[in-house]
């Protein structure tokens, strides 16, 4: 009895000592982990989260950028910048709604075009029938590693008055400069060919966000179509790689089994390839959607909103209001509204493209 009673406390003491050592070891691991990630955390806080918080504060101010936003020179106006942007009728809200309309068409045609083209390119370079696949992969990807400024300048030369595009249009009797300087949307241009120059009363009288419904359904201008073509050409190489990775992850046995069962190329693509590429498609659409709403450099170099603000975008408005007019509070408010639009549309797109269980 005495020996057993003596051994039991010793065993309990040994177990508690072991637990303390394990706990101390885990604590040391946590501390070491924080030491290693501390530089990255500091960089994120200083260069990402702190500027976001500061920009949110600036959006509530009437600040010209000449002094500290935390000094008495910056007047606190609360939500007035957002009210002028979204509620009160005026030039700011009119320009912002025009930019939203322009960007909606940019997103609709740009995201659709780049998704379809990049998927087609990935399918082509993934085919064993194509010879020199590595060469074509490099050629298709080359625009993605080229500066967007250089690509924009190239398109500027192509579409200027004496550029190649306008010269080719003159061969078929189209006046290129007047065509690209037309502020009407492509739908309005097409309807005018059939004698419909005036809008129906119900489209002209009803408004949304300060714009008539006739303006909302005008379609992109020809200049915006050129910007969309630029984006599709420059971005398709990057998204081609995403699709290429997804295509190469599809087991070849599934394709062979479908072919043995008598499925043709189209049926194999529709019932085997596309369902297995759902995640890649959703990823590409999400990334293209986000980048399309943030378009700035092409607009700044090519058009600066012309003709008649038909290529105006929210990012360009934020830049002009901040650095052109010295209204940094308004520019920050535009940026945060744009951020909210991107978040909402991304959530909706992800919900629509989610995988559904049978």
């Amino acid at each position: 009895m005495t020996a057993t009673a003596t051994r039991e406390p010793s065993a309990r003491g040994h177990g508690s000592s072991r637990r303390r050592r394990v706990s101390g070891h885990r604590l040391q691991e946590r501390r070491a982990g924080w030491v290693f990630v501390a530089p990255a955390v500091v960089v994120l806080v200083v260069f990402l989260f702190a500027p976001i918080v500061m920009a949110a504060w600036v959006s509530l101010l009437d600040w010209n950028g000449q002094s500290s936003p935390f000094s008495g020179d910056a007047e606190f106006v609360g939500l007035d910048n957002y009210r002028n942007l979204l509620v009160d009728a005026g030039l700011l809200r009119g320009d912002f709604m025009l930019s939203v309309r322009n960007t909606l068409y940019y997103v609709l045609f740009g995201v659709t075009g780049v998704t379809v083209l990049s998927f087609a390119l990935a399918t082509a370079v993934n085919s064993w029938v194509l010879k020199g696949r590595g060469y074509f992969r490099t050629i298709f990807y080359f625009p993605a590693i080229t500066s967007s400024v250089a690509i924009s300048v190239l398109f500027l030369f192509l579409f200027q008055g004496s550029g190649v595009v306008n010269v080719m249009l003159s061969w078929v009797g189209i006046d290129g400069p007047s065509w690209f300087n037309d502020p009407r949307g492509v739908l309005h241009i097409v309807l005018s060919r059939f004698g419909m120059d005036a809008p129906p009363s119900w489209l002209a009288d009803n408004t949304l966000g300060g714009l008539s419904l006739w303006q909302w359904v005008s379609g992109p201008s020809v200049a915006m179509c050129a910007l969309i073509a630029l984006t599709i050409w420059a971005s398709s190489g990057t998204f081609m790689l995403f699709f290429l990775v997804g295509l190469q992850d599809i087991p070849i046995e599934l394709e062979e089994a479908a072919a043995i069962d008598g499925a043709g190329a189209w049926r194999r693509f529709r019932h085997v390839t596309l369902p297995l590429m759902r995640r890649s498609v959703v990823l590409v659409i999400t990334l293209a959607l986000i980048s399309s709403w943030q378009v700035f450099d092409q607009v700044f170099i090519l058009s600066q909103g012309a003709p008649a603000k038909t290529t105006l975008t929210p990012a360009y408005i934020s830049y002009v209001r901040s650095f052109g007019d010295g209204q940094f509070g308004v520019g920050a408010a535009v940026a945060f509204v744009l951020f909210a639009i991107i978040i909402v549309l991304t959530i909706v797109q992800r919900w629509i493209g989610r995988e559904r269980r049978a």
Side-chain angles (χ1 to χ4, degrees), residues 257 273 327 339:
T273 304
Q327 300 176 352
F339 172 74

Side-chain angles (χ1 to χ4, degrees), residues 17-358:
S17 177
R18 183 178 180 182
R19 285 194 297 270
R20 284 195 298 270
R21 288 197 300 268
V22 171
S23 177
H25 181 66
R26 290 179 178 176
L27 181 60
Q28 291 178 356
E29 288 183 344
R30 293 193 189 100
R31 290 175 179 175
W34 278 110
V35 169
F36 281 107
V37 303
V41 172
V42 171
V43 170
L44 288 176
V45 171
V46 174
F47 295 102
L48 181 62
F49 294 110
I52 291 176
V53 174
M54 183 176 177
W57 170 251
V58 170
S59 68
L60 305 176
L61 304 176
D62 181 10
W63 182 52
N64 59 8
Q66 301 298 320
S67 60
S68 172
F70 303 101
S71 65
D73 296 335
E75 180 184 357
F76 181 81
V77 295
L79 298 177
D80 286 352
N81 292 328
Y82 294 95
R83 188 178 300 108
N84 294 332
L85 183 65
L86 301 174
V87 180
D88 296 341
L91 180 61
L92 177 60
R93 190 183 74 158
D95 288 349
F96 181 74
M97 289 302 171
L98 279 174
S99 70
V100 171
R101 182 205 63 178
N102 299 336
T103 310
L104 284 174
Y105 284 114
Y106 185 89
V107 170
L108 175 63
F109 295 104
V111 173
T112 303
V114 76
T115 303
V116 173
L117 179 59
S118 57
F119 199 110
L121 293 178
T123 304
V125 299
N126 190 56
S127 174
W128 291 100
V129 179
L130 181 67
K131 296 182 179 180
R133 292 188 301 273
Y135 169 78
F136 285 104
R137 291 174 185 175
T138 303
I139 293 299
F140 293 151
Y141 184 69
F142 185 75
I145 61 175
T146 306
S147 170
S148 61
V149 175
I151 294 176
S152 301
V153 172
L154 173 63
F155 268 68
L156 183 62
F157 289 149
L158 291 175
F159 288 97
Q160 65 180 354
S162 58
V164 176
V165 175
N166 287 327
V167 171
M168 295 178 64
L169 290 176
S170 65
W171 294 346
V172 294
I174 299 177
D175 185 4
S178 64
W179 177 267
F180 284 100
N181 291 327
D182 194 336
R184 296 176 298 173
V186 290
L187 179 59
H188 290 179
I189 295 175
V190 171
L191 292 177
S192 66
R193 300 294 181 181
F194 296 94
M196 187 177 175
D197 294 322
S201 58
W202 64 276
L203 285 177
D205 297 338
N206 295 310
T207 61
L208 177 63
L211 300 180
S212 66
L213 296 182
W214 178 249
Q215 291 176 293
W216 280 104
V217 300
S218 64
S221 65
V222 178
M224 178 58 77
C225 291
L227 288 175
I228 294 172
L230 184 156
T231 301
I232 293 174
W233 178 75
S235 304
S236 58
T238 301
F239 297 125
M240 176 194 70
L241 296 182
F242 289 94
F243 284 130
L244 186 60
V245 172
L247 289 172
Q248 293 180 347
D249 283 341
I250 297 177
I252 191 64
E253 293 81 4
L254 295 179
E255 298 278 353
E256 294 175 348
I260 293 174
D261 290 340
W266 168 247
R267 293 190 64 185
R268 293 199 304 271
F269 176 78
R270 179 182 177 184
H271 297 288
V272 177
T273 304
L274 275 182
L276 295 176
M277 290 291 292
R278 173 185 288 272
R279 292 185 178 180
S280 298
V281 172
V282 171
L283 175 62
V284 168
I285 293 178
T286 301
L287 295 177
L289 176 70
I290 294 174
S291 62
S292 296
W293 277 97
Q294 295 176 337
V295 61
F296 167 76
D297 44 358
Q298 296 91 338
V299 175
F300 179 77
I301 295 172
L302 288 177
S303 64
Q304 298 185 358
K309 301 180 180 180
T310 56
T311 58
L312 204 64
T313 61
Y316 184 73
I317 289 179
S318 178
Y319 168 80
V320 171
R321 288 286 179 171
S322 299
F323 297 96
D325 301 335
Q327 300 176 352
F328 284 86
V330 175
V334 173
F336 273 94
V337 172
L338 177 60
F339 172 74
I341 293 174
I342 292 174
I343 291 297
V344 171
L345 292 181
T346 302
I347 292 175
V348 172
Q349 186 272 326
R350 297 283 294 182
W351 180 80
I352 294 175
R354 73 190 189 281
E355 293 186 4
R356 298 173 176 84
R357 295 184 178 180

